[in-house]
Amino acid sequence: MGEFKVHRVRFFDYMPAAIRAMAFNSRTERLALARADGALEIFNFSDNYFQEKMIPGRDGRTVEALCWVGPRLFSAGLNGEITEYDLENLRPRYTVEAYGGPIWTISSNSQGTLLAVGCEDGTVKMFEILEQGIQFQRNLDRQKGRIISLSWHPSGKLIAAGMMDMIRIFDAETGQATHRLLVERGMGASKSREVVVWSIAFLSDHTIVSGDSGGKVQIWDGITGTLVRTHLVTKWDVMALAVSQDESSLVAGTSEGTVIQFQFLSNTVDQQEKEWVRTRTFKNHSHDVRALVHTETAVVSGGMDTQLVVRPLLDKVEKNTQESALRKMAFPHRNLVSCAKKAGLLLFQFPNHLELWRLGEGEGHGKPGDRLPVKRKPEKLIQLKRKGEDHICCSALSPCGGWLAYSTVNSFRIYRLQNNNISITKVPKLPKDFRSAHQLCFSSDSSKLFASSSHSSVIVVALNQPECKYLHTLKPKSVSRQPVHLLFASDDGKWLATANTDCEIHVYSLDNLKLHCTVPVYGSCPTAIAIHPTTSNLVVVHADQQIFEYSLVQKEYTEWSRRLQKQGLHSLWLERDTPITHVTFNPKNPSHILLHDMFMFCIIDQSLPLPEAKSLFYNQMTLRSLPEPERITHSHAFKICKNFKHLMCVSLLGDQSLVVVERPLMDIMSQLPAPVRQKKFAT
């Protein structure tokens, strides 16, 4: 295994925003997730829970609730607007003002024809869903308090609305309120405080389930309007409810970080009568659980601690399998770090700004594992604040360190950097085709910039000293409208590889700016791609952890790739639950492939035999401690190091030193608003 001088970078203090809302589309198995900064993320649950799309946030755009209507995604927020999203171009498609003040909740009927939103002014507003948008239809009977939560009956004829101290049932056809269900307040001092019905579920048998700020999960008879049973589950708030598709199970999320499961079970021997029984309590969060989804096999939860947690239900999956493993996803499945390999610079991407750092310098040499004395400390050179209200969606730093580019959904900017006197100059005139980009990438000689655009196309721009010049638009032959999420330019300047969320990989020749080949489509989304600098072999890693190597010269899979697929990857490799996000190569040893996920760094040595099914995946630190004869017996192609937490980037510099960027361990409590911190301390 090769030895490197390692820059272990721990000053990228990126912190995801809290999770505010979630919605699951059972037909496409896509989970939509909204964060407190207005950003949206789309996870593909059928493809190893890969985060395949991200729509950046915007100042002033808050998302309180999400709703799928077929393949279309809608959101509503406290700015009083309803937004539909363009999931092909990763931007809001349009926004409609509801004219009811802040919107707390949004829900569609099961037929997919109507949207209902609950507003601050006490109205439930109905919108008709049309092919090209939505159109206001009517208001239901206006109430005195704000509408906090909504749930349609599966028939589409009734709507239950959670409010302050009560639940209202409306006839969706006439708009009239048919029942008023009074929610009991707490005892003692809390009796003077209003109870907020944070979440509500309307079941097909006309049972209504509510969760409120008094810590209660209550079961109601929606036909008679009477309370059936009360479950006191916490001293604090029940923030969210979710029901399984067959209505046999429901879960409640609390502000203590717990998720409580209830099941509809028989309480008698003859199994004639059933009731909702509290069966399990899960504790996977440190703070408020703001959003819940109940799939067929798992409970998905998210909240203030920023983590998306997938908790499999062991009575629905086979035990001791990959499907039964708990998953926690805290960080984006994409690169937020750019490295100028020739200049020793790092660019960190945050939603609101970019940071440019110069790497430190070590002194002398040492044995493997030694810490070298620091000759020069890392230095932050520039902090560049974004322009406008839109958050940054992608950024890139040229290998020479002389160019910097970033994009939002509505604007694009390129800057010229002078590292000697640490100055930055905006390039004034950009080509008209440059409106925005999904991904950015510079050529290895820093003479060109590649920007992925709509319909999987890529715009090529030549970089000159005074200005930029449009060269060409690279277009695939496929009819895919999905966005490109991966770009890679080869070190020899000959190739550009792109991958989109339709699992298509296209390779273009940069000599003639034409499509060179399309890699055979594999059913899992690519998570990382790279082209070998000497062999011109394309290495692709997919969300299901499969690895392929494709020869761009021969236009076929390499012999090593065929052997790997024939033998199969080791089970311990396939069972990993975080995707590979970066691939690079060691120029000193062409047989080495370097790759990493969030917790593991790996060097694949193609000159060594592949691991057998019974082989052990030793951590390299453990392997070093073994006697040499025993070490040789355990030797195989996959060299793994697991001594990392939140690994964000691994890159090889021009001097053959290795940059390893880790997110520092941060106290989530310090990131929360003061009222939330005080409440948690009180707990």
Side-chain angles (χ1 to χ4, degrees):
M1 186 172 177
E3 295 179 1
F4 305 95
K5 183 186 287 187
V6 178
H7 298 269
R8 201 159 184 181
V9 176
R10 295 178 179 174
F11 43 81
F12 181 32
D13 55 349
Y14 175 81
M15 185 70 185
I19 295 172
R20 297 298 292 267
M22 293 193 302
F24 185 66
N25 189 328
S26 58
R27 292 181 182 177
T28 62
E29 293 194 67
R30 297 309 198 270
L31 177 86
L33 177 152
R35 295 192 180 269
D37 62 357
L40 263 68
E41 299 165 10
I42 308 294
F43 291 83
N44 187 348
F45 274 34
S46 64
D47 195 11
N48 209 16
Y49 302 92
F50 178 58
Q51 183 194 75
E52 62 181 12
K53 295 178 181 179
M54 198 282 289
I55 300 175
R58 177 183 171 89
D59 290 350
R61 185 174 76 206
T62 60
V63 178
E64 283 294 312
L66 291 169
C67 177
W68 287 100
V69 180
R72 299 165 68 179
L73 180 63
F74 295 87
S75 76
L78 299 183
N79 57 1
E81 296 174 342
I82 304 168
T83 302
E84 183 179 359
Y85 294 90
D86 184 343
L87 299 181
E88 293 175 353
N89 293 308
L90 303 183
R91 61 174 64 226
R93 175 171 282 146
Y94 61 83
T95 297
V96 174
E97 175 67 51
Y99 297 105
I103 301 174
W104 291 91
T105 181
I106 185 170
S107 182
S108 74
N109 61 358
S110 58
Q111 294 77 19
T113 57
L114 292 172
L115 273 179
V117 296
C119 301
E120 178 77 14
D121 67 356
T123 58
V124 176
K125 297 180 180 290
M126 308 283 280
F127 290 82
E128 185 181 1
I129 302 171
L130 306 175
E131 189 174 339
Q132 297 299 324
I134 59 173
Q135 181 176 303
F136 175 73
Q137 189 189 69
R138 65 183 303 177
N139 286 334
L140 305 189
D141 280 355
R142 187 168 183 169
Q143 305 300 305
K144 289 185 178 180
R146 63 175 68 119
I147 307 296
I148 302 294
S149 53
L150 286 174
S151 180
W152 287 78
H153 186 266
S155 67
K157 296 180 179 180
L158 299 171
I159 304 177
M163 303 172 60
M164 312 295 285
D165 286 334
M166 73 174 75
I167 298 167
R168 282 285 195 180
I169 301 177
F170 296 91
D171 186 314
E173 295 176 353
T174 65
Q176 295 179 344
T178 60
H179 289 85
R180 185 178 72 159
L181 287 58
L182 296 178
V183 180
E184 183 183 357
R185 294 187 179 184
M187 302 296 291
S190 61
K191 197 168 186 179
S192 61
R193 292 201 301 265
E194 288 182 309
V195 173
V196 185
V197 181
W198 287 117
S199 189
I200 197 164
F202 207 158
L203 308 186
S204 56
D205 64 355
H206 289 269
T207 296
I208 294 174
V209 185
S210 64
D212 60 49
S213 60
K216 304 185 298 295
V217 173
Q218 294 188 306
I219 315 296
W220 306 80
D221 186 326
I223 297 176
T224 62
T226 55
L227 179 65
V228 176
R229 183 154 186 191
T230 297
H231 297 270
L232 185 63
V233 297
T234 176
K235 294 179 181 179
W236 302 99
D237 297 36
V238 175
M239 305 293 296
L241 292 174
V243 183
S244 63
Q245 201 162 3
D246 62 1
E247 299 184 353
S248 65
S249 170
L250 71 88
V251 286
T254 75
S255 56
E256 290 179 309
T258 56
V259 175
I260 295 104
Q261 184 185 13
F262 296 84
Q263 289 177 282
F264 197 46
L265 302 174
S266 173
N267 60 353
T268 58
V269 178
D270 57 6
Q271 299 187 355
Q272 290 295 320
E273 296 183 11
K274 290 186 175 183
E275 63 179 357
W276 287 99
V277 179
R278 178 175 174 173
T279 53
R280 296 186 184 96
T281 299
F282 308 124
K283 176 66 174 174
N284 300 121
H285 295 275
S286 58
H287 297 79
D288 301 20
V289 176
R290 289 292 305 266
L292 281 174
V293 162
H294 197 317
T295 69
E296 289 184 5
T297 59
V299 175
V300 187
S301 55
M304 295 297 291
D305 65 2
T306 77
Q307 292 188 112
L308 178 66
V309 177
V310 180
R311 177 88 190 205
L313 298 172
L314 297 182
D315 56 338
K316 300 290 185 179
V317 297
E318 188 178 343
K319 294 182 180 179
N320 300 322
T321 61
Q322 189 176 1
E323 288 75 22
S324 65
L326 176 74
R327 289 173 181 261
K328 290 187 177 183
M329 292 168 272
F331 296 99
H333 293 168
R334 59 196 175 94
N335 285 325
L336 297 174
V337 181
S338 296
C339 181
K341 299 179 180 180
K342 300 172 185 176
L345 301 177
L346 291 176
L347 181 70
F348 298 147
Q349 177 184 318
F350 297 85
N352 296 316
H353 70 276
L354 301 171
E355 290 182 5
L356 183 68
W357 288 74
R358 179 186 287 134
L359 287 167
E361 189 177 335
E363 199 168 28
H365 301 277
K367 296 176 294 184
D370 286 354
R371 292 190 178 186
L372 300 180
V374 177
K375 181 179 178 181
R376 187 188 72 224
K377 289 186 177 181
E379 180 185 3
K380 188 202 287 192
L381 302 179
I382 293 171
Q383 179 166 313
L384 180 65
K385 293 185 178 179
R386 60 171 170 79
K387 301 294 182 181
E389 297 180 336
D390 295 309
H391 295 181
I392 298 170
C393 62
C394 62
S395 61
L397 182 65
S398 65
C400 70
W403 299 92
L404 183 154
Y406 80 84
S407 178
T408 68
V409 295
N410 290 311
S411 66
F412 187 89
R413 293 176 185 267
I414 302 177
Y415 294 86
R416 184 71 172 143
L417 300 173
Q418 297 291 339
N419 296 323
N420 296 331
N421 55 2
I422 313 177
S423 66
I424 181 168
T425 307
K426 180 189 171 187
V427 177
K429 293 182 180 180
L430 297 180
K432 294 180 180 179
D433 301 74
F434 254 175
R435 296 183 183 91
S436 66
H438 303 311
Q439 287 295 321
L440 295 168
C441 174
F442 286 92
S443 61
S444 59
D445 61 359
S446 303
S447 66
K448 296 184 184 71
L449 174 64
F450 308 103
S452 66
S453 185
S454 58
H455 300 173
S456 297
S457 63
V458 177
I459 297 172
V460 185
V461 172
L463 301 174
N464 301 316
Q465 192 69 22
E467 59 182 16
C468 301
K469 182 182 178 182
Y470 168 80
L471 288 182
H472 191 67
T473 298
L474 303 171
K475 295 181 180 180
K477 293 181 179 179
S478 72
V479 294
S480 174
R481 300 176 63 88
Q482 293 302 315
V484 167
H485 67 290
L486 297 174
L487 278 176
F488 188 90
S490 63
D491 287 349
D492 59 10
K494 292 182 178 180
W495 313 106
L496 176 73
T498 72
N500 64 27
T501 51
D502 263 342
C503 305
E504 296 177 346
I505 300 172
H506 304 287
V507 181
Y508 299 91
S509 169
L510 296 180
D511 292 333
N512 56 20
L513 296 179
K514 291 184 178 180
L515 180 67
H516 173 72
C517 66
T518 297
V519 179
V521 175
Y522 178 67
S524 180
C525 195
T527 64
I529 57 175
I531 299 171
H532 199 285
T534 56
T535 64
S536 292
N537 290 339
L538 173 69
V539 175
V540 184
V541 188
H542 294 266
D544 64 356
Q545 313 296 356
Q546 292 292 335
I547 303 171
F548 295 90
E549 186 182 45
Y550 188 83
S551 170
L552 300 183
V553 177
Q554 301 295 327
K555 296 185 181 181
E556 62 181 15
Y557 288 115
T558 65
E559 182 60 33
W560 181 85
S561 183
R562 295 177 192 277
R563 275 192 287 114
L564 181 65
Q565 291 303 311
K566 184 177 180 180
Q567 180 173 324
L569 282 157
H570 197 282
S571 60
L572 293 177
W573 177 269
L574 296 174
E575 288 168 5
R576 292 172 21 261
D577 59 3
T578 54
I580 296 294
T581 54
H582 192 259
V583 177
T584 188
F585 305 94
N586 180 6
K588 283 188 174 180
N589 195 329
S591 64
H592 284 184
I593 304 172
L594 286 64
L595 45 126
H596 75 88
D597 63 16
M598 192 65 71
F599 305 104
M600 175 274 308
F601 171 63
C602 177
I603 295 180
I604 299 177
D605 188 342
Q606 293 180 301
S607 65
L608 292 178
L610 296 170
E612 300 290 338
K614 295 181 180 179
S615 301
L616 296 175
F617 265 36
Y618 272 107
N619 193 346
Q620 290 303 297
M621 301 300 287
T622 306
L623 203 58
R624 276 178 53 195
S625 64
L626 299 177
E628 188 170 350
E630 189 177 349
R631 199 186 313 166
I632 294 173
T633 62
H634 292 296
S635 180
H636 53 71
F638 284 70
K639 312 293 184 182
I640 288 176
C641 182
K642 298 180 180 178
N643 296 354
F644 299 100
K645 292 287 185 184
H646 305 147
L647 193 56
M648 306 295 282
C649 177
V650 174
S651 187
L652 203 60
L653 298 182
D655 62 359
Q656 297 302 299
S657 60
L658 199 66
V659 178
V660 178
V661 181
E662 298 175 81
R663 178 188 167 277
L665 294 175
M666 298 173 67
D667 180 17
I668 293 174
M669 182 76 79
S670 66
Q671 304 293 317
L672 299 178
V676 179
R677 292 201 300 269
Q678 291 165 4
K679 186 172 78 169
K680 292 304 162 189
F681 283 129
T683 302

